[in-house]
Amino acid sequence: MSSLTFLGAVGEVTGSRYLLEVDGEPRPHRLLLECGLHQGGREAEGANAVPFGRLAEELESVVLSHGHLDHAGLLPKLVREGYRGPIHCTADTAELLEIMLVDAAFVMAKDVEWENRWRARAGKSAIEPLYDEDDVARTLAQCEPHRYGQPVALPGGVTLVFRDAGHILGSAVVELSIPSGGQRRRLVFSGDLGNPDSVLMKDPEKVHDADVVLMESTYGDRDHRPLDDTLEEFRRVLEEAHVDGGNVLIPAFAVGRTQEILYHLSVLYHKGRLPQQLVFLDSPMAIRVTELYGRKRKALDPEDLKVLNVAAHGDPDQYLPNLRLTRDVEESMAINRIHGGAIIIAGSGMCTGGRIVHHLRYNLERESTHLVIVGFQAEGTLGRQLVEGAERVRVLGEDLAVKARVHTLGGFSAHAGQQELIGWAGAFHDRPRFFLVHGEPGAQRALQAALAEAGIEAEIATYRQRIEL
C-alpha cells in the first residue's frame, strides 16, 4: 500500500511538508509534497536546522503548491543536502521562486553575519546559513514548470495535475493519482486556498473527486469581514492618521498582500479618498514581485484590472502616481526622517525581520503612528505580540513602548475563511477522508466542529502520522 506521512504544518500554519511513499520494487518510490520553512521564533529556527538525512538523496520528485516560503523556503537546503531530482510547480510559481529564494538566502546571510559577530565576542564558534545563493541557483535549475490542468507523469506511475487555488500568483491545488495496493487512489492537497473577496486573483477551483483530502485551516475558526466593511475601516484609519499627523505602517507579505494593498490604495486615490501624499513600497522583493504581477496580467482577474484601467485611462503608470519604490538601503533610511503623512509598506509580513522592523523602531513610540496589520501573524512573532496588545516590545535590541495605534484588518486575508473552506470541502463527492493541516490547534478544532455540522468528518493531522492510501 502507498502511504503519506505528515512531516510539517501540523498544529501550526508554517513548515509545510508531506512524504508520499508509492508502491514499488525493491523499495517504494519516495516523493515530497512541499518543502516549507518554519516561521515564528527560536523553536522554528531549530526545526529548520534539522538535517533531511537520507531523505534528500532518496527522494525522486518534489511537488510544490506555491511559492510562499512556508511552503517552499527549505527547498535550497534540500538541494544543498543532496537532492538532485525535479521540482514540479506551476510556471508562475517558478518565476516567483527566483525572486523569493534569492531574497531568503540574502537575508539569511545577513542574519548569520550579525549572529557570528556576537558569537565571536562570546568566544563561540561561527554558524553557517541554511543555504546560500549557489544552493538557490541549483534549486531553480531543478524546477520544472507546468500549466494548470496539464497532467504530469511522476515516478511510480503517479499522475500530477495542478488547479488554480486563487491564493497568489501561480498558487495551486495539487491533485495526485497514486497506485496503491492494485488500485488507483486520488490525493488532493488544497495548498493555500484563496479568499474569493480578494482582488487580482481568480476564485479557487473546486475539485470533486478524491479519496484523501489535505485541507488548510489557517482561518478555520472565523469568517473574514466583508471586504466593503474592511475597505471602509481602512479608509477611516488613513483619515485618522492624516488628522493625527503621523505615518501609517503596513507590514505586508511581498507576494499577494502587497499587491492587494497597492490595488486598494490605487482605487482610493482615483476616488479622491487617499489623504496621504506619499506611499512608499520599501521592499526590494515586493517591488520585484509587483513588477512580475504587472507582466503576468493575463493570470489576474480581468474584472479587477478593468477597474484600474478605467480609472487610470489605461496607463499603468497612473495607477498610483504618488507611489515611491525604494530599492536602496539609503532610500529606505531616508524614510525615517519623515514624521508624518506617509504610508510605508514593507516586509516582513509578520514583523520578524526586514525593513519594517526599522520603521517600527522609529515610529512605534509615537502616538500619531498608525500600524495596520493586514495579514496572519503566527505565534511567537513580533506581529502577533502587537496584535495581542503588547505594551512593550523588543525591536532590534531595544525595549520600546507601544504608543502607536494598532489596527487589525482581517478582511484583506488572501486565505479562505471558515465558510469558504466548508464550501470547498463540500464540493467533493463520495465522502473522502479529510485531514486538516496548516492551522493552529484552536482554528483546527473549530473548523473540525463546523465541518461536522455540515456533515463532513475531518481528522486533525499529527506530526509523523502515517496513513495508508
Side-chain angles (χ1 to χ4, degrees), residues 64-84:
L64 190 64
S65 70
H66 67 288
H68 271 148
L69 292 181
D70 60 324
H71 292 255
L74 284 186
L75 282 172
K77 181 174 182 284
L78 185 70
V79 169
R80 184 185 185 110
E81 295 183 16
Y83 178 65
R84 296 293 178 264

Side-chain angles (χ1 to χ4, degrees), residues 108-174:
M108 281 183 194
K110 288 295 184 184
D111 288 347
V112 167
E113 180 183 341
W114 279 102
E115 176 77 8
N116 282 337
R117 289 181 185 178
W118 175 84
R119 294 177 73 88
R121 289 196 297 268
K124 296 184 177 181
S125 58
I127 60 172
E128 291 187 0
L130 296 177
Y131 51 82
D132 58 27
E133 292 191 14
D134 289 339
D135 300 314
V136 170
R138 286 192 290 271
T139 301
L140 296 174
Q142 290 171 225
C143 287
E144 293 191 7
H146 308 287
R147 301 186 308 274
Y148 290 126
Q150 171 190 352
V152 181
L154 302 183
V158 175
T159 301
L160 160 70
V161 178
F162 289 120
R163 307 289 182 191
D164 193 345
H167 176 58
I168 62 169
L169 188 68
S171 62
V173 173
V174 178

Side-chain angles (χ1 to χ4, degrees), residues 73-372:
L74 284 186
L75 282 172
K77 181 174 182 284
L78 185 70
V79 169
R80 184 185 185 110
E81 295 183 16
Y83 178 65
R84 296 293 178 264
I87 299 167
H88 298 280
C89 58
T90 67
D92 289 342
T93 291
E95 291 197 50
L96 270 179
L97 286 176
E98 187 172 357
I99 298 171
M100 300 193 69
L101 294 179
V102 168
D103 182 83
F106 175 80
V107 171
M108 281 183 194
K110 288 295 184 184
D111 288 347
V112 167
E113 180 183 341
W114 279 102
E115 176 77 8
N116 282 337
R117 289 181 185 178
W118 175 84
R119 294 177 73 88
R121 289 196 297 268
K124 296 184 177 181
S125 58
I127 60 172
E128 291 187 0
L130 296 177
Y131 51 82
D132 58 27
E133 292 191 14
D134 289 339
D135 300 314
V136 170
R138 286 192 290 271
T139 301
L140 296 174
Q142 290 171 225
C143 287
E144 293 191 7
H146 308 287
R147 301 186 308 274
Y148 290 126
Q150 171 190 352
V152 181
L154 302 183
V158 175
T159 301
L160 160 70
V161 178
F162 289 120
R163 307 289 182 191
D164 193 345
H167 176 58
I168 62 169
L169 188 68
S171 62
V173 173
V174 178
E175 289 187 63
L176 295 169
S177 176
I178 302 162
S180 181
Q183 305 178 51
R184 293 201 72 84
R185 305 284 285 173
R186 190 177 294 259
L187 170 69
V188 174
F189 172 49
S190 70
D192 283 350
L193 293 172
N195 178 358
D197 271 355
S198 292
V199 294
L200 298 177
M201 293 296 102
K202 297 172 183 176
D203 288 352
E205 285 189 52
K206 291 184 177 178
V207 183
H208 302 291
D209 297 309
D211 297 292
V212 175
V213 178
L214 313 185
M215 188 171 74
E216 68 121 322
S217 51
T218 308
Y219 287 99
D221 58 347
R222 75 198 84 164
D223 290 318
H224 302 306
R225 291 180 63 195
L227 182 59
D228 287 345
D229 293 350
T230 299
L231 290 175
E232 180 57 27
E233 183 178 358
F234 188 39
R235 187 200 65 76
R236 288 199 305 270
V237 169
L238 298 179
E239 183 61 39
E240 289 170 9
H242 176 64
V243 172
D244 292 343
N247 292 324
V248 178
L249 305 187
I250 306 179
F253 299 102
V255 184
R257 195 59 42 81
T258 290
Q259 292 72 41
E260 184 178 7
I261 294 299
L262 289 175
Y263 178 94
H264 292 303
L265 290 174
S266 298
V267 171
L268 288 172
Y269 172 85
H270 286 287
K271 289 181 176 180
R273 302 180 77 183
L274 182 61
Q276 282 76 16
Q277 296 303 305
L278 290 173
V279 179
F280 293 98
L281 180 51
D282 189 29
S283 165
M285 181 168 69
I287 292 169
R288 293 194 294 273
V289 172
T290 301
E291 292 169 343
L292 177 61
Y293 268 60
R295 297 193 298 272
K296 297 287 184 177
R297 295 183 192 194
K298 288 185 179 179
L300 306 180
D301 190 311
E303 293 302 313
D304 293 332
L305 290 181
K306 182 179 178 181
V307 172
L308 288 188
N309 285 323
V310 169
H313 304 289
D315 182 1
D317 290 336
Q318 295 304 307
Y319 283 173
L320 188 56
N322 56 350
L323 176 64
R324 304 289 182 267
L325 307 178
T326 53
R327 302 175 195 268
D328 299 334
V329 173
E330 291 76 12
E331 294 175 309
S332 176
M333 292 171 65
I335 298 173
N336 290 320
R337 294 197 290 268
I338 300 173
H339 292 177
I343 297 172
I344 304 164
I345 306 167
S348 68
M350 297 186 193
C351 306
T352 53
R355 293 182 178 180
I356 193 64
V357 178
H358 295 273
H359 298 305
L360 290 169
R361 178 186 179 190
Y362 282 91
N363 289 273
L364 263 185
E365 294 196 310
R366 295 177 181 151
E367 294 181 356
S368 60
T369 298
H370 289 251
L371 175 63
V372 182

